[in-house]
Amino acid sequence: MAIRIGIYGYGNLGRGIECAISQNPDLSLVAVFTRRDPSSLVIGTEGVPVVSANDILSYIGKIDVLILCGGSATDLPVQTPALAKHFCVIDSFDTHAKIPAHFAAVDASAREGGNVAMISVGWDPGMFSLNRLLAASILPDGRDYTFWGKGVSQGHSDAIRRISGVLDAKQYTIPKEDALSAVRSGTCPSLSTREKHLRECFVVAEDGADLSRIEREIKEMPNYFADYDTIVHFISLDELRRDHSGIPHGGFVIRTGKTGKDLEHSHIIEYSLKLDSNPEFTASVIVAYARALARMAREGLVGCKTVFDVPPAYLSPKSYEELLASLL
Amino acid sequence: MAIRIGIYGYGNLGRGIECAISQNPDLSLVAVFTRRDPSSLVIGTEGVPVVSANDILSYIGKIDVLILCGGSATDLPVQTPALAKHFCVIDSFDTHAKIPAHFAAVDASAREGGNVAMISVGWDPGMFSLNRLLAASILPDGRDYTFWGKGVSQGHSDAIRRISGVLDAKQYTIPKEDALSAVRSGTCPSLSTREKHLRECFVVAEDGADLSRIEREIKEMPNYFADYDTIVHFISLDELRRDHSGIPHGGFVIRTGKTGKDLEHSHIIEYSLKLDSNPEFTASVIVAYARALARMAREGLVGCKTVFDVPPAYLSPKSYEELLASLL
């Protein structure tokens, strides 16, 4: 029997989950839950009901894994613990500094409900975290580096849009080639924020807006841009729509380390992603972990889990025998 | 208390294990077991006994994990099942086609002894297998590619040395840049053996040997070279020792796949290794998995396991709380 999935929240990530489910025959979509008026929402899968989030508890026992597709700032800190009492939930909570607190809240709540839950699944946190852990475990005498991009940062794009005179904007985070080369050389360089990434902004301004003032406000914005080399391009709304409508992303996790009697041998472990669609790839990771979570639930596990807890075989629809014969 | 490790076999891999143990304070080396005369063997760690392989059973109860460092052709198919009856063993069995049979033999034997065992740990099989599994689970509509090198193939070097008139030889397997580029383009090319890798050979011939005959015998050797573009260089013994004494290796696991309503978005997942010392890196992977195996043994697991079974957190000496706070 297929694993029954519910989607809670239908933005970019929710739509990505829906697509990913359609690529995995062992998973089936039971319902999409929304805080909007359900009748206002048309989803991509025929025959699947759109249900008000208020009615979610009527789905207890009808869903194996509920995938939470809200945002990390305000949605997930409330939704994941609340829903973990009643369902096996999985989220993509990505505020790194607040993961331990989120974990504790979800763990307590999942245990109270006798459920298993998983947080912070995606690519960072997620696959990048897994690769940082693996590489650090293999090469204890080493150093690791994470680079992001080239890709769209929604948070930075939003920050530009809040500037007076800006109609729309897209911001790309770009790893600097010199920094990547220095890391790959194995010399374990210490790199400043400015040395690692470049920020490139495509901005649509209102007619008659003071472009030099907007550019200055972007480049001097604390936390977001002040510590980076930032390039600002002013373009038309047509150009923005034509050339910058995608949501690509990606990045690199690199660890360099030494082995040998006198640590005379260097090694480089590199994991990289190049993604046309950040939300669809994130969704694809989550859906594989939803499969694993359903299995952990069948085994009777309770409490909060992360990618660090999942035996890799649980992610695959293939039998263990197939994995041994074809992938090991 | 430190995890007590025994090393069984003291060649390149065994020496690499010894070095890796010294880099991990939570592991301690109890003894090195050898089939040679123990008095003939000087190891790198002071105060650790060298013991005859014949006396291994006197170490039952004194070793948490026994790391088997023999070869896959004739040693491990016999040693791993035999020793899994008495110890928690881990090996790097790397004959891909025979993994299911080896797994079955070790599993039966480990269960008989009430032990847990792990086979085929290293980088391929091992980390490459893990990455093939992860990437295939995330991107079901895709294709994966494994490239090896640039690195020394011991098997191919040995094959050249068996040719009449050859004193010594080193063979490098080199991935072809054109093939890597084609794969990274996301077009899912079908690549022949010849298109993926190049073989470069450095050969020391006897004085007066017929070089063109040796070169022809190399290039026409079935299975080893006939299906590849092969370059042969004749060099002096001094040059071989000066320029080709290392054992570097590495490679790439790349999966490209599609997502989206109409599979309109492409993604590339790439994992790569660049290793100065193949045996030392393999040893470093094995030692991290030995830590995990000791934990699985404490939990009472029995039978044969692989990298597909290990929750990633088990590989790290850090506490789960540290992992959540620093690596997720």
Side-chain angles (χ1 to χ4, degrees):
Chain A
M1 202 178 89
I3 297 167
R4 300 167 302 173
I5 307 282
I7 295 175
Y8 193 92
Y10 196 70
N12 283 333
L13 182 59
R15 284 192 294 274
I17 297 286
E18 185 181 23
C19 288
I21 290 171
S22 74
Q23 293 183 272
N24 286 281
D26 63 326
L27 308 179
S28 84
L29 179 59
V30 170
V32 171
F33 300 92
T34 179
R35 288 177 294 179
R36 293 177 262 174
D37 172 5
S39 67
S40 72
L41 202 63
V42 176
I43 66 167
T45 314
E46 272 186 40
V48 169
V50 179
V51 178
S52 167
N54 297 326
D55 299 330
I56 181 107
L57 295 188
S58 68
Y59 275 80
I60 290 177
K62 298 176 187 165
I63 287 173
D64 296 310
V65 177
L66 182 63
I67 299 178
L68 307 186
C69 300
S72 295
T74 56
D75 297 334
L76 298 175
V78 176
Q79 292 171 0
T80 315
L83 290 164
K85 275 185 201 156
H86 308 290
F87 296 94
C88 289
V89 297
I90 185 167
D91 79 17
S92 59
F93 184 80
D94 66 359
T95 313
H96 289 263
K98 296 184 178 171
I99 285 174
H102 188 57
F103 181 93
V106 175
D107 191 57
S109 179
R111 286 180 191 280
E112 191 184 324
N115 295 314
V116 64
M118 203 179 295
I119 61 162
S120 302
V121 180
W123 58 274
D124 196 0
M127 299 313 296
F128 274 18
S129 321
L130 187 57
N131 276 281
R132 285 188 287 260
L133 169 59
L134 292 167
S137 301
I138 293 168
L139 295 175
D141 288 299
R143 181 159 175 176
D144 57 40
Y145 298 84
T146 301
F147 291 87
W148 296 273
K150 180 181 176 176
V152 173
S153 165
Q154 301 287 4
H156 288 77
S157 301
D158 290 345
I160 299 172
R161 286 189 203 104
R162 286 192 293 265
I163 293 173
S164 160
V166 171
L167 285 175
D168 203 349
K170 216 62 178 277
Q171 192 269 178
Y172 296 90
T173 304
I174 305 171
K176 289 192 176 175
E177 280 300 331
D178 287 354
L180 278 167
S181 300
V183 166
R184 289 182 184 128
S185 74
T187 55
C188 291
S190 289
L191 296 167
S192 67
T193 298
R194 190 178 299 277
E195 287 170 319
K196 285 183 72 186
H197 295 95
L198 182 73
R199 297 200 177 277
E200 188 171 22
C201 314
F202 294 87
V203 182
V204 182
E206 286 171 6
D207 276 351
D210 179 348
L211 301 188
S212 61
R213 190 257 313 155
I214 291 174
E215 179 164 348
R216 197 175 57 243
E217 282 194 42
I218 294 171
K219 290 184 171 177
E220 294 177 356
M221 198 184 297
N223 301 319
Y224 285 87
F225 294 99
D227 297 334
Y228 295 86
D229 291 338
T230 302
I231 301 170
V232 177
H233 308 277
F234 289 97
I235 61 174
S236 71
L237 193 55
D238 284 348
E239 287 170 317
L240 189 81
R241 286 180 179 150
R242 187 191 66 206
D243 302 331
H244 304 283
S245 61
I247 319 176
H249 220 314
F252 305 81
V253 173
I254 305 173
R255 186 170 181 93
T256 61
K258 306 274 189 187
T259 66
K261 204 168 180 313
D262 304 307
L263 301 184
E264 68 275 26
H265 293 128
S266 290
H267 308 281
I268 305 172
I269 304 174
E270 178 166 338
Y271 180 80
S272 70
L273 297 173
K274 190 156 176 264
L275 313 173
D276 273 359
S277 165
N278 183 356
E280 287 178 9
F281 186 82
T282 301
S284 298
V285 176
I286 292 173
V287 156
Y289 278 91
R291 174 183 293 121
L293 190 65
R295 180 157 164 187
M296 294 166 99
R298 284 199 303 274
E299 291 176 353
L301 296 183
V302 294
C304 189
K305 307 290 175 188
T306 69
V307 295
F308 295 159
D309 297 295
V310 178
Y314 284 29
L315 298 169
S316 175
K318 294 189 180 184
S319 73
Y320 195 75
E321 290 65 34
E322 282 181 281
L323 295 179
L324 284 190
S326 68
L327 288 177
L328 191 63
Chain B
M1 204 178 89
I3 296 166
R4 299 167 302 175
I5 307 282
I7 295 175
Y8 192 92
Y10 196 70
N12 283 333
L13 182 59
R15 285 192 294 274
I17 298 285
E18 184 181 23
C19 288
I21 290 171
S22 74
Q23 293 183 269
N24 287 280
D26 63 327
L27 308 179
S28 83
L29 180 59
V30 170
V32 171
F33 300 92
T34 179
R35 288 177 294 180
R36 292 177 262 176
D37 173 5
S39 67
S40 73
L41 202 63
V42 176
I43 67 167
T45 313
E46 273 186 41
V48 169
V50 178
V51 179
S52 167
N54 298 326
D55 299 330
I56 182 115
L57 295 187
S58 68
Y59 276 80
I60 290 176
K62 298 176 187 165
I63 287 174
D64 297 310
V65 178
L66 182 63
I67 299 177
L68 306 186
C69 301
S72 295
T74 56
D75 296 333
L76 298 176
V78 176
Q79 292 172 0
T80 314
L83 290 163
K85 274 185 202 157
H86 308 290
F87 297 94
C88 289
V89 297
I90 185 167
D91 79 17
S92 59
F93 184 80
D94 66 359
T95 313
H96 289 263
K98 295 183 179 171
I99 285 176
H102 188 56
F103 181 93
V106 175
D107 190 57
S109 181
R111 286 179 191 281
E112 191 185 324
N115 294 314
V116 64
M118 204 178 296
I119 62 161
S120 301
V121 180
W123 59 273
D124 196 0
M127 299 312 296
F128 274 18
S129 322
L130 188 56
N131 276 281
R132 285 188 287 260
L133 169 59
L134 291 168
S137 301
I138 294 169
L139 295 174
D141 288 299
R143 182 159 174 176
D144 57 39
Y145 298 85
T146 301
F147 291 87
W148 296 272
K150 180 180 176 178
V152 173
S153 167
Q154 301 287 6
H156 288 77
S157 301
D158 290 344
I160 299 172
R161 285 188 204 104
R162 286 192 292 267
I163 293 173
S164 160
V166 171
L167 285 175
D168 204 349
K170 217 59 179 281
Q171 192 269 178
Y172 296 90
T173 304
I174 305 171
K176 290 193 176 175
E177 280 299 330
D178 287 354
L180 278 168
S181 300
V183 167
R184 289 182 184 128
S185 75
T187 55
C188 291
S190 288
L191 297 167
S192 68
T193 298
R194 189 178 300 276
E195 286 169 319
K196 285 183 72 186
H197 295 95
L198 182 72
R199 298 201 176 277
E200 188 171 22
C201 314
F202 294 86
V203 181
V204 181
E206 284 171 9
D207 276 349
D210 179 349
L211 302 188
S212 61
R213 191 257 312 155
I214 291 175
E215 177 163 347
R216 197 176 56 245
E217 281 194 42
I218 294 173
K219 290 185 170 177
E220 294 176 357
M221 198 185 298
N223 301 318
Y224 286 87
F225 294 99
D227 297 334
Y228 296 86
D229 291 338
T230 301
I231 301 169
V232 177
H233 308 276
F234 289 97
I235 61 174
S236 71
L237 194 55
D238 285 348
E239 288 170 317
L240 189 81
R241 287 179 179 150
R242 187 190 67 205
D243 302 332
H244 303 283
S245 62
I247 319 175
H249 221 312
F252 304 81
V253 173
I254 304 174
R255 186 170 181 94
T256 62
K258 305 276 190 186
T259 66
K261 203 167 181 313
D262 304 307
L263 300 184
E264 69 274 28
H265 293 128
S266 289
H267 307 281
I268 305 171
I269 304 174
E270 178 165 339
Y271 180 80
S272 70
L273 297 173
K274 191 156 175 261
L275 313 173
D276 272 0
S277 165
N278 183 357
E280 287 179 9
F281 186 82
T282 301
S284 298
V285 175
I286 292 173
V287 156
Y289 277 91
R291 173 183 294 121
L293 190 65
R295 180 157 164 187
M296 294 166 98
R298 284 199 302 276
E299 292 176 353
L301 297 182
V302 294
C304 190
K305 308 291 175 186
T306 70
V307 295
F308 294 158
D309 297 295
V310 178
Y314 284 28
L315 298 170
S316 176
K318 294 189 179 184
S319 73
Y320 195 76
E321 290 66 33
E322 282 180 281
L323 295 179
L324 283 191
S326 67
L327 288 177
L328 191 62

